[in-house]
Amino acid sequence: LWVEEYSVYKGEILNFNNRLTKIIAKEVHIELTDEEEQILSQDRTADREAIDAYIRSHTYWGDLSREALDEAYEFRAKALEKDPEWATLYAAMGVVWVARMQMGFVETETGRQFITENLDRARELDPNFTDKHFIEGVVHIWPDWEWEQGEQALIKALADNPNHSLARMYYAHLLMSLQRMDEAREQAKLALELDPKNPLILTLYSVILKGAGLHEAVLEYLEQALAIDPDHSFTHGQLDRAYYNLGMYEESLEIHEKSLVRLLGREKVPDLQALYTEHGRLQAYQEVADLWNMYKQDHSISPVGMAVNYYRAGRFSEAINELERGYDSHNPNMPYVGTGTRFEHLHDSTRFLAILDSMNLPHPKKQ
């Protein structure tokens, strides 16, 4: 219907995006609101090196490993040195801290402090900074457990950009936590269609499938993600759960053994697969829980992850103790505890349900 070519200096790319949006709106006969006109009329150049560093940071952020998030942080810090008045960079810094907190690399209190500082600075510089509604939605949901505000923010983000695959996928995760599974799968499918070759999107989609109990499909999508990026850290982190849910306990235990040997040393970690073969599943996961508890004495471990270890070992009371610790520390992984089958045998526990009630989350539906 309409084709045009443009050549623009990189420092003018922000203004060009606004200008192009207005041109497209005119060509397809969309009438912009006064607020949209005001936003798109803003004039802002950016430092070329800042833009390069910001773009490169996204290469690392989606991996979600400690090392990759550190790289993303460094590139965004470099961008801020070059252009300290660009609001979007502060918002992007806030997102790094959200990810560090979500993955258990920093305590919730520390992460929340840096998120607040960066988002406050972004708002000072530009109340309508790029991805404003998306980022605010993420903060409302995972660190703050404000479900209604989070949903409203993500709906606004999708109204601004219906093709925002990550906003749509995170909205699916919120819907799953709220036990609105049919809606969650619909949004997740749309997100995957928008970005089908992104390992992070594929892996986040597998989490939705896990919540729906489709465990064979979970492994299929994780394998697709690893075919694209064999070293993708977040995808590897989901493999243990996929194997466990499929009854592939030897494969699950192999992942634990490799991690524990790296952290504790070979001399402290027995052959977990041999232990499983000789004494069975519960005994093997008893050992896994004890080893992770040993590591926890001197290191930070997500209470939700530790609860999973105790749960698999049949130590349900200790699992709930960890979930209560996660509640007290406002751990950002707590929104997931009522989803799928990860704590299925606790769904009738009054202590478990009291946690969900305190978080204003609905009780799990029967699978």
Side-chain angles (χ1 to χ4, degrees):
L1 295 178
W2 168 70
V3 178
E4 188 59 82
E5 292 184 4
Y6 296 90
S7 177
V8 61
Y9 171 65
K10 187 178 287 186
E12 292 285 339
I13 194 68
L14 302 180
N15 295 333
F16 172 69
N17 285 338
N18 289 346
R19 202 160 63 243
L20 186 58
T21 301
K22 293 176 72 173
I23 292 171
I24 293 172
K26 180 180 179 181
E27 292 290 334
V28 299
H29 308 293
I30 292 176
E31 186 174 346
L32 299 172
T33 65
D34 291 342
E35 181 183 4
E36 289 167 338
E37 283 280 5
Q38 182 181 0
I39 292 171
L40 294 174
S41 296
Q42 292 177 355
D43 185 18
R44 176 134 186 6
T45 59
D47 182 271
R48 178 174 179 170
E49 292 184 36
I51 291 175
D52 284 340
Y54 176 55
I55 291 172
R56 290 189 68 184
S57 73
H58 287 280
T59 304
Y60 296 95
W61 183 87
D63 183 80
L64 296 181
S65 68
R66 185 189 299 272
E67 296 77 14
L69 289 172
D70 287 347
E71 288 284 352
Y73 181 92
E74 290 301 322
F75 276 111
R76 291 177 184 185
K78 180 180 178 181
L80 275 172
E81 287 179 10
K82 296 292 182 180
D83 195 344
E85 302 299 311
W86 187 5
T88 296
L89 296 179
Y90 291 96
M93 276 297 204
V95 170
V96 171
W97 285 104
V98 169
R100 283 173 165 172
M101 187 170 55
Q102 190 79 35
M103 301 307 293
F105 302 144
V106 297
E107 296 292 338
T108 304
E109 185 177 352
T110 301
R112 195 65 187 81
Q113 175 188 341
F114 284 108
I115 292 166
T116 300
E117 289 176 2
N118 280 284
L119 291 188
D120 285 350
R121 181 59 178 148
R123 293 187 189 101
E124 283 177 22
L125 292 168
D126 179 3
N128 297 303
F129 60 84
T130 304
D131 269 351
K132 168 186 168 67
H133 296 306
F134 166 62
I135 294 170
E136 289 181 347
V138 168
V139 174
H140 277 307
I141 295 162
W142 282 278
D144 293 352
W145 305 349
E146 296 171 347
W147 320 123
E148 184 176 350
Q149 296 95 317
E151 182 170 11
Q152 290 173 355
L154 290 183
I155 288 173
K156 288 178 180 177
L158 291 170
D160 291 342
N161 179 8
N163 295 327
H164 196 314
S165 60
L166 205 52
R168 201 168 286 283
M169 187 63 81
Y170 283 173
Y171 185 31
H173 278 230
L174 169 63
L175 292 168
M176 178 175 66
S177 294
L178 296 176
Q179 303 296 330
R180 292 157 58 184
M181 203 63 219
D182 289 344
E183 295 174 76
R185 290 184 65 184
E186 181 181 353
Q187 291 295 325
K189 184 178 179 182
L190 290 170
L192 184 63
E193 289 172 353
L194 289 167
D195 199 359
K197 299 298 183 182
N198 183 331
L200 178 59
I201 292 292
L202 284 161
T203 304
L204 291 171
Y205 184 69
S206 80
V207 175
I208 296 292
L209 296 176
K210 180 174 62 177
L214 302 173
H215 300 304
E216 290 185 3
V218 169
L219 190 56
E220 175 189 337
Y221 281 94
L222 292 178
E223 288 172 347
Q224 285 186 36
L226 290 174
I228 296 167
D229 182 356
D231 299 319
H232 198 266
S233 177
F234 182 61
T235 307
H236 278 286
Q238 293 296 316
L239 273 177
D240 159 53
R241 299 165 195 181
Y243 288 144
Y244 183 88
N245 288 329
L246 286 169
M248 299 170 65
Y249 301 122
E250 290 186 354
E251 289 83 352
S252 165
L253 290 165
E254 181 182 7
I255 290 174
H256 280 283
E257 185 171 333
K258 286 181 179 178
S259 297
L260 288 162
V261 167
R262 176 171 53 84
L263 297 170
L264 296 174
R266 177 75 266 181
E267 68 282 357
K268 293 183 179 179
V269 181
D271 185 333
L272 295 175
Q273 292 163 301
L275 189 63
Y276 165 68
T277 301
E278 186 173 350
H279 297 287
R281 174 177 59 86
L282 272 182
Q283 187 65 41
Y285 283 100
Q286 288 267 9
E287 186 68 28
V288 168
D290 288 338
L291 289 166
W292 280 116
N293 187 52
M294 180 192 304
Y295 180 75
K296 190 180 76 168
Q297 304 310 310
D298 299 311
H299 303 86
S300 176
I301 293 183
S302 166
V304 178
M306 199 63 216
V308 170
N309 291 327
Y310 284 131
Y311 177 81
R312 292 180 182 179
R315 293 152 66 171
F316 295 161
S317 180
E318 290 169 278
I320 295 180
N321 289 343
E322 289 294 327
L323 294 178
E324 289 173 342
R325 187 168 71 89
Y327 173 80
D328 291 339
S329 64
H330 232 267
N331 186 273
N333 287 299
M334 288 296 291
Y336 292 101
V337 299
T339 63
T341 59
R342 77 175 70 193
F343 295 115
E344 184 176 21
H345 296 302
L346 304 181
H347 289 179
D348 293 328
S349 163
T350 54
R351 287 175 65 196
F352 180 81
L353 295 176
I355 294 171
L356 296 181
D357 290 340
S358 297
M359 296 176 67
N360 293 316
L361 284 174
H363 292 185
K365 295 181 179 180
K366 298 295 183 182
Q367 293 290 318

